[in-house]
DNA sequence: CCTGAAATTCGAGGCTT
DNA sequence: AAGCCTCGAATTTCAGG
């Protein structure tokens, strides 16, 4: 379904979504229009789901990152609460995780006061039992790029 | 430093990094070249740090997402271990978090076996004391887009 | 996957504040 | 100096073969 050339195109676009077709074409030794055709097909197949500009949070007054475990009352399998959490401004990610029915969410806020407000909004949702927040002090690495190349070897 | 037009441009590019200058120009009622000039300046100032293509993990055999707390021995303030963690293939994010000297990392793998391999590699790092992994069962929302618009209001 | 025409990019240069 | 505009050659993108 996805051949070696597609993988190389995906790696290039993950690294820089604005790489020109001409440059990609040179890298994979094809005509620019053929590259474009492959990219469009990858988009249609849902392999590429979009293109995002990455913004430095500190440059737009969003210095606070936090991860919050949200425990809920809802029946196992339902993700109603998840949808509600996803709709709260400042919530970047919502993952349903193993263990006690809970979500792990990633949150951005300008400061601790805003974070408190955000957690208050979440705490008010009817199915939310409690929350447990871990504040990030420093982010060493942060990328959406998937490991399309080599994965770690067991080693032994 | 960043005016209202810049904010609108950033919002558009966060949503779709490949939006043409012509389209952005229409949206903000300016000439395309002026938009380009602003984008270049935002890049130079470090506000825009890059452009990433988003790929559906399930379409490239990466169905497993996990968050792992990594406790270390290293002195407070050092992020040496963090750099090492960032270099492990499959590790997307590395955050130094409050509490006991620990990192929270986000990890991608094709399956549980690969995840185990990855955790084995991490466990072998000399400064790593132990790890605690939470596996994601379902991802409801996942975006790198920052909340540039409205943030949640306290409400009361 | 390649060729050719319409749309877009993005630099140069000029105008206004 | 800073910001926007118009203009035109290089590039991107789409239709068709």
């Amino acid at each position: 379904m996805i051949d070696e050339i597609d993988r190389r195109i995906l790696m290039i676009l993950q690294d820089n979504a604005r790489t020109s077709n001409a440059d990609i074409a040179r890298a994979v030794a094809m005509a620019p229009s053929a590259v474009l055709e492959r990219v469009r097909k990858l988009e249609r197949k849902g392999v590429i789901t979009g293109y995002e500009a990455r913004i430095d949070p500190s440059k737009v007054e969003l210095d606070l990152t936090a991860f919050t475990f949200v425990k809920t009352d809802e029946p196992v399998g339902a993700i109603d609460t998840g949808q509600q959490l996803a709709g709260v401004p400042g919530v970047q990610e919502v993952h349903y995780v193993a263990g006690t029915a809970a979500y792990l969410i990633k949150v951005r806020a300008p400061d601790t006061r805003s974070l408190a407000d955000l957690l208050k909004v979440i705490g008010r949702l009817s199915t939310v039992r409690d929350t447990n927040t871990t504040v990030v002090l420093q982010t060493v690495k942060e990328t959406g790029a998937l490991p399309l190349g080599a994965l770690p070897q067991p080693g032994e």
Side-chain angles (χ1 to χ4, degrees), chain A:
Chain A
M1 213 67 165
I2 289 178
D3 65 10
E4 192 49 45
I5 294 178
D6 283 339
R7 284 175 62 87
R8 290 175 64 188
I9 293 176
L10 289 175
M11 284 198 271
I12 292 168
L13 287 177
Q14 268 199 150
D15 185 59
N16 179 6
R18 288 207 142 181
T19 307
S20 72
N21 287 324
D23 283 347
I24 300 174
R26 269 184 283 277
V28 301
M30 285 209 305
S33 58
V35 172
L36 181 64
E37 204 174 317
R38 277 171 177 270
V39 171
R40 291 284 180 264
K41 188 173 267 182
L42 288 168
E43 290 169 354
R44 255 184 287 115
K45 286 198 289 187
V47 179
I48 296 174
T49 58
Y51 305 93
E52 288 183 355
R54 275 224 164 254
I55 295 173
D56 183 339
S58 69
K59 298 284 169 61
V60 290
E61 273 80 56
L62 286 167
D63 295 281
L64 226 156
T65 307
F67 290 88
T68 299
F69 280 97
V70 180
K71 286 191 187 148
T72 78
D73 273 338
E74 79 187 345
V76 175
I79 57 155
D80 226 51
T81 305
Q83 299 291 353
Q84 289 184 285
L85 291 171
V88 176
V91 175
Q92 275 190 313
E93 302 185 18
V94 178
H95 306 277
Y96 187 71
V97 299
T100 58
Y103 295 90
L104 176 55
I105 68 177
K106 183 180 179 181
V107 158
R108 298 279 188 179
D111 48 43
T112 51
R113 189 184 176 334
S114 288
L115 177 62
D117 290 344
L118 200 155
L119 292 174
K120 197 183 284 184
V121 169
I122 288 171
R124 284 216 194 90
L125 298 177
S126 58
T127 51
V128 170
R129 189 174 280 290
D130 71 39
T131 64
N132 185 332
T133 298
T134 299
V135 173
V136 171
L137 296 181
Q138 184 180 1
T139 293
V140 180
K141 176 180 184 176
E142 188 171 29
T143 179
L146 301 175
L148 297 181
L151 270 178
Q153 299 301 329
E156 134 179 351

